[in-house]
């Protein structure tokens, strides 16, 4: 069994040699670091240039000590990636083959690290190699929206297929639509959507070349290099007037999730990313508006074929219904009128779509009904091409609503 003891002794000696070699490397490197100042500390570096297998990545420090990937495209850098990079670089002295790292100080001086192709790197740590192989995936901040949720105060969307624009703005504690219709938004729905945007993680990649490299999992229909080919533009703004503009195109199949996803891009269109679908992108108004066009009602007036119906609420909160017809000269109090049914019906009305009033034409498919809410909001209701629309007197838009609304209101009038 002597040969077994000899073998164990050899392994122990070999292990001690590796440990001493590593310790010598670290102490030697530490002494060089001290003599070279704080070269391997993030605060002492202004710019990092990494070349690996003929591909270059540049990370630069911006004001307020924030880092951005500036090449091959502009994207916020992950702050944890910087710390990890300097930590590994401070320990690993040898660079992987076909690699070069240039660190630039604030005064413009540069320190260059090159791989030694001839020198054996059998004991070289694999941390740097892993970073270089990940490329931009290691450096990119995975969150799409870096604005603080509490500071976001505006959302704009353009649906290029229909040329519709939707704008929401935060007014105090309320969210309101400015375009295409002036209406209160559903605060809970808007908050949920913004939480989705802020917390959404993406994986940026470089344009069409990266799509070709990963053709085993991605199938897309057409070239999307130009922003004009995208279907949706979304802009998020905050109280500091910072903006994030996102361009989205749907119907990109991701074989990993086995579903259609949105292909998105920022800025100059060089950086692309995938994000999951969300109904808000396709139907902003229906998804984010208040569930009712008229969330608060204290008076209602209906006019149709000479018949007029009035509902009013007194200071005690009691509702009264009155009717006036062409044959009568005074208002008639309706004793047993079910005002709760008509109020509930009006409170549940939601806009299904908003279009330019000029596109409706001048003729209704039948007679129109006039609806007045709270003595200030006056609308004409009519049926056009089997759809019911509300048209405000002082607005240029028409709101498509439930097609059963007008027949139901006429029914209320004809019953009394």
């Amino acid at each position: 069994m002597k040969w077994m003891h000899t073998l164990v002794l050899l392994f122990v000696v070999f292990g001690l040699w590796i440990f001493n070699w590593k310790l010598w490397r670290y102490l030697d490197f530490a002494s060089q670091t001290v003599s070279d100042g704080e070269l391997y500390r993030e605060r002492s570096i202004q710019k990092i240039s990494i070349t690996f297998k003929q591909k270059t990545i540049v990370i630069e420090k911006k004001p307020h000590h924030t880092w951005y990937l500036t090449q091959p495209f502009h994207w916020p850098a992950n702050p944890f990636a910087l710390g990890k990079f300097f930590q590994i670089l401070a320990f690993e002295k040898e660079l992987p083959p076909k690699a070069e790292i240039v660190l630039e100080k604030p005064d413009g001086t540069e320190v260059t690290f090159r791989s030694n192709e001839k020198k054996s790197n059998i004991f070289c740590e694999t941390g740097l190699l892993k970073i270089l192989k990940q490329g931009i995936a290691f450096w990119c901040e995975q969150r799409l929206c870096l604005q603080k949720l509490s500071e976001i105060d505006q959302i704009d969307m353009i649906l290029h297929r229909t040329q519709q624009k939707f704008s929401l703005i935060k007014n105090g504690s309320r969210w309101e639509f400015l375009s295409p219709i002036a209406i209160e938004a559903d605060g809970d729905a808007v908050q949920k959507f913004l939480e989705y945007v802020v917390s959404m993680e993406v994986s940026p990649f470089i344009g069409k070349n990266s799509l070709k490299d990963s053709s085993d999992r991605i199938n897309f229909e057409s070239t999307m290099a130009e922003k004009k080919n995208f279907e949706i533009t979304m802009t998020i703004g905050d109280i500091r007037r910072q903006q994030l503009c996102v361009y989205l195109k749907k119907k990109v199949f991701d074989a990993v999730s086995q579903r259609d996803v949105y292909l998105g891009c920022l800025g100059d269109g060089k950086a692309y990313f995938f994000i999951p679908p969300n109904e808000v992108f396709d139907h902003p108004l229906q998804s984010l508006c208040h569930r009712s066009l008229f969330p608060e009602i204290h008076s209602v007036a209906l006019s149709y074929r000479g018949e007029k119906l009035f509902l009013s609420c007194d200071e005690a909160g009691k509702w009264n219904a009155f009717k006036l017809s062409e044959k009568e000269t005074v208002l008639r109090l309706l004793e047993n009128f079910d005002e709760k049914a008509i109020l509930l019906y009006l409170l549940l009305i939601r806009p299904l779509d908003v279009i330019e009033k000029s596109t409706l034409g001048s003729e209704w498919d039948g007679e129109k009904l006039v609806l007045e809410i709270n003595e200030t909001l006056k609308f004409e209701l009519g049926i056009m091409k089997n759809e019911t629309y509300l048209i405000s007197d002082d607005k240029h838009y028409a709101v498509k609503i439930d097609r059963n609304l007008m027949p139901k209101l006429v029914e209320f009038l004809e019953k009394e």
Side-chain angles (χ1 to χ4, degrees):
M1 300 293 291
K2 289 183 178 181
W3 66 273
M4 287 289 293
H5 292 289
T6 303
L7 186 60
V8 171
L9 184 59
L10 287 175
F11 274 111
V12 171
V13 172
F14 185 67
L16 289 174
W17 180 82
I18 292 178
F19 175 77
N20 289 330
W21 181 80
K22 289 280 189 180
L23 183 60
W24 173 81
R25 279 188 61 204
Y26 178 78
L27 294 175
D28 179 64
F29 179 74
S31 64
Q32 291 185 27
T33 302
V34 172
S35 62
D36 194 32
E38 295 183 335
L39 177 60
Y40 299 97
R41 294 183 182 273
E42 177 186 339
R43 63 188 180 189
S44 303
I45 302 300
Q46 184 69 27
K47 181 178 178 182
I48 305 169
S49 300
I50 301 174
T51 302
F52 182 60
K53 294 183 178 180
Q54 298 181 343
K55 293 183 179 179
T56 301
I57 293 176
V58 178
I59 307 98
E60 297 186 48
K61 185 185 293 183
K62 300 296 182 180
H64 308 294
H65 299 283
T66 56
W67 289 85
Y68 273 82
L69 184 79
T70 57
Q71 187 177 334
F73 52 79
H74 194 269
W75 194 280
N78 185 344
F80 297 102
L82 271 298
K84 185 71 173 178
F85 170 76
F86 281 103
Q87 180 184 8
I88 293 177
L89 184 62
F91 184 76
E92 296 182 15
K93 194 156 187 179
E94 294 182 21
L95 268 61
K98 300 181 181 179
E100 178 180 288
I101 297 177
V102 179
L103 303 180
E104 181 179 317
K105 299 180 181 181
D107 60 6
T109 58
E110 295 181 350
V111 178
T112 302
F113 301 86
R114 294 187 178 89
S115 59
N116 188 347
E117 304 292 345
K118 297 180 181 181
K119 190 173 181 179
S120 171
N121 56 359
I122 187 172
F123 300 115
C124 182
E125 295 288 339
T126 59
L128 275 177
L129 184 59
K130 289 180 180 179
I131 291 176
L132 299 180
K133 284 185 175 180
Q134 290 182 64
I136 58 174
F138 174 81
W139 292 101
C140 284
E141 169 66 54
Q142 299 301 298
R143 287 193 304 140
L144 178 64
C145 181
L146 300 179
Q147 278 92 336
K148 292 182 179 179
L149 183 64
S150 60
E151 294 183 348
I152 296 176
D153 64 357
Q154 186 165 349
I155 310 172
D156 297 304
M157 294 188 195
I158 300 176
L159 305 186
H160 298 288
R161 290 168 296 176
T162 58
Q163 292 302 308
Q164 285 183 292
K165 181 176 181 180
F166 300 87
S167 296
L168 294 102
I169 190 167
K170 193 173 185 180
N171 186 3
S173 60
R174 293 171 29 140
W175 279 92
E176 300 174 353
F177 269 96
L178 295 181
S179 173
I181 177 176
I183 181 177
E184 181 182 355
D186 187 330
D188 292 337
V190 175
Q191 183 77 4
K192 185 177 180 180
F193 174 65
L194 289 178
E195 289 174 357
Y196 162 83
V197 173
V198 170
S199 62
M200 182 169 54
E201 291 190 356
V202 298
S203 297
F205 56 89
I206 308 173
K208 295 180 292 180
N209 293 331
S210 292
L211 288 175
K212 293 177 181 178
D213 295 340
S214 53
S215 58
D216 58 326
R217 62 180 287 265
I218 303 168
N219 177 28
F220 66 104
E221 295 179 346
S222 60
T223 300
M224 290 169 270
E226 299 182 20
K227 287 181 288 189
K228 67 180 181 181
N229 291 324
F230 284 84
E231 299 177 355
I232 303 171
T233 299
M234 178 181 68
T235 303
I236 301 289
D238 62 19
I239 58 177
R240 293 178 291 176
R241 304 277 61 90
Q242 296 182 121
Q243 288 190 339
L244 169 75
C245 192
V246 183
Y247 303 90
L248 302 173
K249 184 172 181 66
K250 204 177 178 183
K251 295 181 181 177
V252 181
F253 183 74
D254 181 9
V256 173
S257 60
Q258 288 295 309
R259 63 176 178 176
D260 285 344
V261 296
Y262 285 101
L263 172 66
C265 80
L266 297 180
D268 54 11
K270 292 181 180 179
Y272 293 80
F273 51 86
F274 292 134
I275 61 174
N278 189 292
E279 64 177 357
V280 175
F281 294 134
D282 290 327
H283 306 287
L285 187 63
Q286 291 90 318
S287 301
L288 300 179
C289 77
H290 194 281
R291 71 173 185 172
S292 170
L293 272 170
F294 315 111
E296 298 178 2
I297 299 178
H298 55 73
S299 69
V300 177
L302 293 174
S303 301
Y304 180 73
R305 288 185 177 179
E307 300 285 335
K308 295 183 179 181
L309 178 68
F310 303 92
L311 302 179
S312 63
C313 183
D314 59 24
E315 293 182 355
K318 181 182 178 181
W319 282 88
N320 296 300
F322 303 89
K323 192 172 183 182
L324 178 67
S325 65
E326 291 181 342
K327 301 176 183 180
E328 301 171 340
T329 57
V330 295
L331 286 175
R332 176 166 53 94
L333 177 64
L334 303 178
E335 296 289 346
N336 298 315
F337 186 80
D338 187 7
E339 70 278 352
K340 291 183 180 179
I342 189 171
L343 289 173
L344 179 62
Y345 199 73
L346 292 172
L347 286 170
L348 294 179
I349 296 174
R350 292 187 66 180
L352 302 180
D353 197 6
V354 178
I355 63 174
E356 294 288 335
K357 184 165 49 175
S358 59
T359 62
L360 285 177
S362 58
E363 298 295 331
W364 295 105
D365 297 339
E367 297 185 69
K368 65 182 179 181
L369 181 150
V370 177
L371 170 65
E372 189 172 342
I373 304 293
N374 297 341
E375 301 179 356
T376 56
L377 303 174
K378 189 174 182 181
F379 301 90
E380 290 182 352
L381 280 81
I383 298 176
M384 177 69 67
K385 297 180 181 179
N386 203 31
E387 298 290 352
T388 300
Y389 290 92
L390 274 172
I391 298 181
S392 176
D393 285 350
D394 57 347
K395 301 293 183 181
H396 66 280
Y397 54 76
V399 183
K400 185 170 77 172
I401 57 177
D402 186 341
R403 67 180 62 186
N404 297 317
L405 173 67
M406 184 171 173
K408 190 68 176 179
L409 293 178
V410 172
E411 183 182 337
F412 280 116
L413 276 169
E414 293 179 343
K415 276 185 178 181
E416 300 298 333

